[in-house]
Amino acid sequence: AQSVTQLGSHVSVSEGALVLLRCNYSSSVPPYLFWYVQYPNQGLQLLLKYTSAATLVKGINGFEAEFKKSETSFHLTKPSAHMSDAAEYFCAVSVNTGFQKLVFGTGTRLLVSP
Amino acid sequence: GAVVSQHPSWVICKSGTSVKIECRSLDFQATTMFWYRQFPKQSLMLMATSNEGSKATYEQGVEKDKFLINHASLTLSTLTVTSAHPEDSSFYICSAQLAWNNEQFFGPGTRLTVL
């Protein structure tokens, strides 16, 4: 069965510092992988997705993620954190083909300090 | 484009009453919608898959008689929590799936508090 593991329930960075949020996946078939962001009391917004095309995926708000099959990882990065990046981030893998069902990781809360 | 709304955004009800939550795709048709439940500081758990014109498919452990789902049209799915109890208090989020690429778009969520 497909699953994702997010290491670190909280990540704290200073404004302007590199953001690195970790996600490892488990899948018996080539996975489709996603990163979503959730602001307090809101739904989820798609940041980026990997669908077996380019392994380096660029998303919105300056975020990007690299699919590494050898490491079964799909870590999310941003070169320079902004205060507005403070939110909850979820990694997800789709079950079956396409986007049929999403299985979410436990989430990582990003804290950005001035 | 691809906007999904939920109504109400929050609701407080007494134990034993039923609550209906609506999920609408505002600018696209969605044959498939999903209902998730999120406990505080936890991840989203898929409750059920809602398909227009057919019965919903529930995930293991989700009581179908407790959480009634109706996907009456290509733009509307409803979740009714029947005989709500305090343990049903949670954040309920729906998503609607684009037919051409199956991408899911999420609603803003509904916070249910059962007293």
Side-chain angles (χ1 to χ4, degrees):
Chain A
Q2 285 89 337
S3 66
V4 291
T5 301
Q6 291 183 243
L7 297 176
S9 59
H10 292 80
V11 170
S12 295
V13 300
S14 299
E15 192 173 19
L18 171 71
V19 175
L20 171 61
L21 304 182
R22 300 179 185 274
C23 174
N24 288 89
Y25 70 89
S26 173
S27 178
S28 57
V29 298
Y32 285 16
L33 295 161
F34 309 81
W35 275 100
Y36 287 88
V37 61
Q38 183 182 33
Y39 296 99
N41 296 312
Q42 294 186 28
L44 274 67
Q45 181 181 8
L46 180 66
L47 279 177
L48 48 80
K49 59 189 177 188
Y50 168 75
T51 58
S52 75
T55 56
L56 181 62
V57 182
K58 294 186 182 297
I60 62 172
N61 301 339
F63 285 94
E64 64 181 36
E66 185 172 8
F67 173 75
K68 292 187 176 180
K69 184 177 179 180
S70 61
E71 298 177 7
T72 61
S73 68
F74 189 59
H75 302 329
L76 181 70
T77 60
K78 181 174 181 177
S80 177
H82 192 271
M83 295 295 288
S84 61
D85 295 327
E88 188 85 20
Y89 291 80
F90 292 96
C91 182
V93 62
S94 68
V95 178
N96 301 321
T97 58
F99 307 88
Q100 189 65 18
K101 282 169 50 171
L102 293 173
V103 175
F104 288 88
T106 50
T108 298
R109 181 166 297 278
L110 176 65
L111 306 170
V112 182
S113 57
Chain B
V3 178
V4 176
S5 70
Q6 281 184 242
H7 178 79
S9 56
W10 60 271
V11 57
I12 302 173
C13 69
K14 293 182 178 180
S15 185
T17 60
S18 295
V19 174
K20 179 183 286 188
I21 302 170
E22 293 184 349
C23 178
R24 293 181 184 271
S25 54
L26 297 184
D27 49 3
F28 67 101
Q29 293 183 330
T31 55
T32 302
M33 292 185 175
F34 300 89
W35 285 97
Y36 297 85
R37 183 173 181 177
Q38 185 179 31
F39 290 103
K41 300 183 179 180
Q42 293 188 29
S43 188
L44 281 74
M45 299 298 295
L46 179 65
M47 298 174 66
T49 302
S50 169
N51 291 293
E52 189 267 338
S54 64
K55 291 183 179 181
T57 302
Y58 291 82
E59 295 299 299
Q60 191 173 7
V62 177
E63 298 176 60
K64 59 182 65 177
D65 294 330
K66 175 123 183 110
F67 298 100
L68 300 179
I69 293 173
N70 183 24
H71 197 148
S73 75
L74 289 174
T75 59
L76 174 63
S77 176
T78 60
L79 168 68
T80 302
V81 183
T82 62
S83 186
H85 291 282
E87 58 265 31
D88 298 324
S89 298
S90 190
F91 195 51
Y92 292 88
I93 301 175
C94 73
S95 70
Q97 191 174 63
L98 272 178
W100 71 273
N101 69 354
N102 289 336
E103 183 172 339
Q104 292 186 37
F105 292 87
F106 289 80
T110 296
R111 183 161 302 283
L112 170 63
T113 301
V114 185
L115 301 176

